[in-house]
Amino acid sequence: MSYLGIDIGTTGCKAGVFSADGRLLALAYREYPLLSPELGWAELDSSQVIDACLNVIQEAVSASGGDAVRAMGISCQGEAFTPVDRQGTYLANAMVSSDARAAAIAVEWSRQFGAQRLYERTGHTPHPMFTLYKLLWLRDHRPEVWARADKFYCFEELLQARLGLQPAISWPLAGRTMLFNVREHRWEQEILAALGMEDSRLAPPVASGTVVGEVAPSVAAELGLSQGVKVVAGGHDQPCGALGAGVVRPAMAMYATGTVECICPAFAEPIFNENLMRSNLCTYDHAAPGMYTTVAFSLTGGNLLRWFRDQWGQPEMDEARRSGADPYDLLLRAMPSEPTDLTVLPYFTPSGTPYFDPETPGAILGLRLSTTRGQVLRGLLEGVALEMRLNVEILDQAGLAIREFRAIGGGAKNVKLTQLKADVLDRPITTLAVTEAGCLGVAMLACAADTGAAPQDLAAAWVQPQQVVEPDPNRAKIYREKSDVYRRLYPWLKHWLDDVHRG
């Protein structure tokens, strides 16, 4: 018997099939385009995404060697939703996390409702990425879609519906909507009333690992699945990835390099305090039962590496087509190993924690005619890592010190990139045998639901640490000094831009 996990990301989706002892049997991936029809907008065609999900499930099942899948779980990006009518027709594209069109709404509506009231109920602070503000934008700017929509589904429920189930949303994913009371695990009626929406237009929330139903027989036949495959609630991709990395105890954290750069620790009780609120560090459910988490993140992460590849990586892309190599590996191989003289503010999208600033743009300082393409690439990646260092220092000060980082995501496969992160953080980072931890985490939840095993016990058995990447003392010293400069860059640039705009 085997278990399937699917991870629905912003730029692509993956499906992995795992044996009953956690060995990866097959993995499939499909990419889809991120659409930007207007400045500041970032959308996905939901039909393309769901079609890609079905393709990767079918491909992974076909390649898994005939070991019948017993149950499956779904991990997905947060915040993005699709309006669906009574016939199941998708009425609009999904607005993803980096979509900033609701920035003005987020400020004004939250001021009227009360940011403190929002935080006390949802564990989150205002940002245009959250579903609440995207719904407000849709209500005010696309009233015909708002009126026709029978349901608003995140990608977890959207795929469940396509598999023939009555959808339910996992607690960790519901927590990313800013419509969910994370203490009481229910839709927050006070917020919904202010939005002008009934909770009947949302899927019912359930704990991660809850069996939602079984794949419909006709869909199972289409995908090459056995009959009676259970589907369990998974969660937001970051806590699912943390579970798949074995981050199930306090003082541990996942470090994910995907489209979004993210650090996701584990703690035993919901924590609400001024330090976290001031730095926009949330509290919501972990995918591991009974645990909670936060996310320290930069919305500019792996998408910055992809941007560099698309703009300046044509030689590597051509070589990759000839040789079958990964163009990202080729780019990173040519990158210098030593710290650069560049200082980069990595706000090529709206920023994440701690500032939640959708307006201040990215910046590259220190360019000379002698600066090489490889140095620019390393400088960009240094900027993202320095932003994460800033977040880690804030977590330390808030009483959530992290002693062990575990690396997941596509970037975790590259030792040079992991070394850069360890040097900047000045802390060791452990790599894992399976870096696709989102798929692994929800496959654990599926196995737990099928066998009765505890997910934490499965994590101990399934997750295989590989290498501890220690920081280089000399480079770490340089980055300690550089972090002091970096910490002053954002306030200075924001103040300068404010002066320019006032002038």
Side-chain angles (χ1 to χ4, degrees), residues 74 98 231 375 385 430 437 444 456 489:
I74 304 166
S98 58
V231 179
Q375 287 172 328
T430 301
M444 284 181 199
Q456 284 91 334
L489 176 58

mmCIF file of all heavy atoms in Angstrom, residues 74 98 231 375 385 430 437 444 456 489:
data_model
loop_
_atom_site.group_PDB
_atom_site.id
_atom_site.type_symbol
_atom_site.label_atom_id
_atom_site.label_comp_id
_atom_site.label_asym_id
_atom_site.label_seq_id
_atom_site.Cartn_x
_atom_site.Cartn_y
_atom_site.Cartn_z
ATOM 1 N N ILE A 74 -3.787 16.882 0.554
ATOM 2 C CA ILE A 74 -3.537 18.038 -0.315
ATOM 3 C C ILE A 74 -2.908 19.166 0.495
ATOM 4 O O ILE A 74 -3.474 19.623 1.484
ATOM 5 C CB ILE A 74 -4.847 18.534 -0.967
ATOM 6 C CG1 ILE A 74 -5.536 17.409 -1.741
ATOM 7 C CG2 ILE A 74 -4.569 19.729 -1.884
ATOM 8 C CD1 ILE A 74 -6.977 17.711 -2.119
ATOM 9 N N SER A 98 1.001 37.252 -3.761
ATOM 10 C CA SER A 98 1.725 38.476 -4.110
ATOM 11 C C SER A 98 0.858 39.498 -4.836
ATOM 12 O O SER A 98 1.336 40.594 -5.154
ATOM 13 C CB SER A 98 2.949 38.139 -4.960
ATOM 14 O OG SER A 98 2.575 37.441 -6.127
ATOM 15 N N VAL A 231 -9.526 10.765 0.922
ATOM 16 C CA VAL A 231 -8.916 12.083 0.800
ATOM 17 C C VAL A 231 -8.983 12.748 2.168
ATOM 18 O O VAL A 231 -10.060 12.845 2.762
ATOM 19 C CB VAL A 231 -9.630 12.952 -0.250
ATOM 20 C CG1 VAL A 231 -8.976 14.330 -0.337
ATOM 21 C CG2 VAL A 231 -9.614 12.263 -1.609
ATOM 22 N N GLN A 375 27.819 37.907 -9.622
ATOM 23 C CA GLN A 375 27.761 38.671 -8.379
ATOM 24 C C GLN A 375 26.376 39.271 -8.168
ATOM 25 O O GLN A 375 25.886 39.334 -7.033
ATOM 26 C CB GLN A 375 28.830 39.765 -8.394
ATOM 27 C CG GLN A 375 30.241 39.235 -8.214
ATOM 28 C CD GLN A 375 31.295 40.311 -8.428
ATOM 29 O OE1 GLN A 375 31.113 41.229 -9.220
ATOM 30 N NE2 GLN A 375 32.412 40.180 -7.722
ATOM 31 N N ALA A 385 18.168 36.208 1.906
ATOM 32 C CA ALA A 385 18.627 35.545 3.130
ATOM 33 C C ALA A 385 18.778 36.536 4.286
ATOM 34 O O ALA A 385 18.477 36.206 5.444
ATOM 35 C CB ALA A 385 19.952 34.825 2.869
ATOM 36 N N THR A 430 20.031 21.711 8.259
ATOM 37 C CA THR A 430 20.050 20.290 7.947
ATOM 38 C C THR A 430 19.281 20.029 6.658
ATOM 39 O O THR A 430 18.126 20.459 6.513
ATOM 40 C CB THR A 430 19.423 19.466 9.088
ATOM 41 O OG1 THR A 430 20.154 19.707 10.287
ATOM 42 C CG2 THR A 430 19.450 17.980 8.774
ATOM 43 N N ALA A 437 8.883 18.283 0.880
ATOM 44 C CA ALA A 437 8.281 17.985 2.177
ATOM 45 C C ALA A 437 6.791 18.287 2.219
ATOM 46 O O ALA A 437 6.084 17.733 3.054
ATOM 47 C CB ALA A 437 9.001 18.767 3.278
ATOM 48 N N MET A 444 1.920 11.798 4.983
ATOM 49 C CA MET A 444 1.909 11.340 6.378
ATOM 50 C C MET A 444 0.512 11.432 6.980
ATOM 51 O O MET A 444 0.047 10.512 7.662
ATOM 52 C CB MET A 444 2.851 12.195 7.229
ATOM 53 C CG MET A 444 4.314 11.929 7.073
ATOM 54 S SD MET A 444 5.190 13.043 8.208
ATOM 55 C CE MET A 444 6.812 13.004 7.472
ATOM 56 N N GLN A 456 3.140 12.560 14.282
ATOM 57 C CA GLN A 456 4.464 12.833 14.852
ATOM 58 C C GLN A 456 5.344 11.590 14.826
ATOM 59 O O GLN A 456 6.560 11.679 14.585
ATOM 60 C CB GLN A 456 4.336 13.355 16.281
ATOM 61 C CG GLN A 456 3.880 14.815 16.362
ATOM 62 C CD GLN A 456 2.374 14.966 16.455
ATOM 63 O OE1 GLN A 456 1.634 14.086 16.002
ATOM 64 N NE2 GLN A 456 1.909 16.060 17.036
ATOM 65 N N LEU A 489 18.617 49.667 5.730
ATOM 66 C CA LEU A 489 18.319 49.990 4.327
ATOM 67 C C LEU A 489 16.839 50.284 4.103
ATOM 68 O O LEU A 489 16.495 51.298 3.479
ATOM 69 C CB LEU A 489 18.780 48.843 3.420
ATOM 70 C CG LEU A 489 18.452 48.994 1.924
ATOM 71 C CD1 LEU A 489 19.053 50.272 1.355
ATOM 72 C CD2 LEU A 489 18.963 47.767 1.153
#
